Amino acid sequence: MNYLPGTLIDIGSKNYGKIDIASEVLDNIFQTGGLMMGQVMAMTGLEGYMVQNWVKRGFVSSPTRKLYSKRQFCRIVIINMLKESMPIDMIVKLLSYINGVLDDESDDLIDDAQLYNYFVNMAFLCEQNKTAEEAIDIIIKSYVEPVPGACKRLSKVMLIMYNAGLATKYRRKCEQLLSELG
């Protein structure tokens, strides 16, 4: 199966590596509105108490009428992706850095849905033998800076996210190899 990074959403082999697939898939999922907690849990593999804890601590805004928006879902997925290789306080710092605030529903320089889509595009480009820096340059080429320095912030965050993902991948590989020692 081919999953969107940080989720259990199978995108199939024909869509794997397709640019903007995260945006396309999530737009389809959110056509009818938000997701209930059970749906968030099913799509991320997270326990409900963990998501509720992130809401309580202010890492994710509260759902509206028990429905999580696309932006909130992407925030949850980003935290989920990074939590294996970064302490939560560093994830909070990273998410605050890109926009200057932690709020996931503010008028951001870049919202979490855009950031997640950019990250997925970057990961796919890197799998096609692009360096992280080359992939970032390709992805943010069309990004219009709302304020000076926004591109630089976005580039730094994407590079950190990518390296955190690699750290998780290599940690899992080491665990697998160690388990095979007997």
Side-chain angles (χ1 to χ4, degrees), residues 3 14 29 35 63 73 79 97 112 114 135 145 151 159 171 176 182:
Y3 300 106
K14 70 176 183 158
I29 289 171
L35 298 176
F73 179 77
I79 294 170
Y97 172 77
D112 292 319
Q114 286 176 295
E145 255 188 348
C151 273
L159 190 58
R171 184 185 54 93
Q176 175 193 352

Side-chain angles (χ1 to χ4, degrees), residues 4-178:
L4 279 178
T7 76
L8 299 175
I9 301 170
D10 185 4
I11 57 174
S13 59
K14 70 176 183 158
N15 288 322
Y16 190 80
K18 181 179 170 187
I19 296 299
D20 293 333
I21 190 64
S23 182
E24 183 180 314
V25 167
L26 293 175
D27 283 349
N28 287 333
I29 289 171
F30 283 90
Q31 278 183 346
T32 60
L35 298 176
M36 299 291 291
M37 174 61 82
Q39 294 169 304
V40 171
M41 291 167 47
M43 290 183 198
T44 62
L46 290 167
E47 295 292 333
Y49 74 86
M50 188 171 282
V51 175
Q52 290 168 340
N53 183 27
W54 294 344
V55 170
K56 183 178 178 181
R57 294 175 67 185
F59 305 152
V60 178
S61 61
S62 296
T64 303
R65 294 185 308 279
K66 297 185 180 184
L67 295 175
Y68 289 88
S69 70
K70 181 178 172 183
R71 291 172 84 170
Q72 290 166 313
F73 179 77
C74 288
R75 170 67 62 98
I76 291 165
V77 171
I78 290 168
I79 294 170
N80 189 34
M81 283 188 322
L82 298 176
K83 71 178 172 50
E84 290 189 49
S85 59
M86 296 175 71
I88 196 76
D89 61 321
M90 296 303 288
I91 297 169
V92 168
K93 181 178 180 178
L94 182 70
L95 293 173
S96 298
Y97 172 77
I98 196 162
N99 292 311
V101 295
L102 183 59
D103 184 5
D104 62 353
E105 293 293 329
S106 66
D107 290 331
D108 301 326
L109 302 179
I110 184 165
D111 73 46
D112 292 319
Q114 286 176 295
L115 177 60
Y116 179 68
N117 188 57
Y118 284 167
F119 172 77
V120 171
N121 290 345
M122 177 188 177
F124 288 156
L125 287 171
C126 288
E127 286 181 10
Q128 297 168 11
N129 296 322
K130 299 283 186 204
T131 66
E133 291 79 6
E134 289 171 334
I136 290 169
D137 288 344
I138 291 167
I139 291 162
I140 66 171
K141 182 175 29 179
S142 62
Y143 177 66
V144 179
E145 255 188 348
V147 296
C151 273
K152 187 175 179 181
R153 284 178 177 255
L154 176 58
S155 296
K156 282 183 179 182
V157 168
M158 288 176 59
L159 190 58
I160 292 167
M161 288 174 65
Y162 181 71
N163 281 295
L166 287 177
T168 298
K169 177 182 175 179
Y170 290 129
R171 184 185 54 93
R172 287 179 182 168
K173 182 65 176 174
C174 288
E175 289 172 355
Q176 175 193 352
L177 292 170
L178 281 170

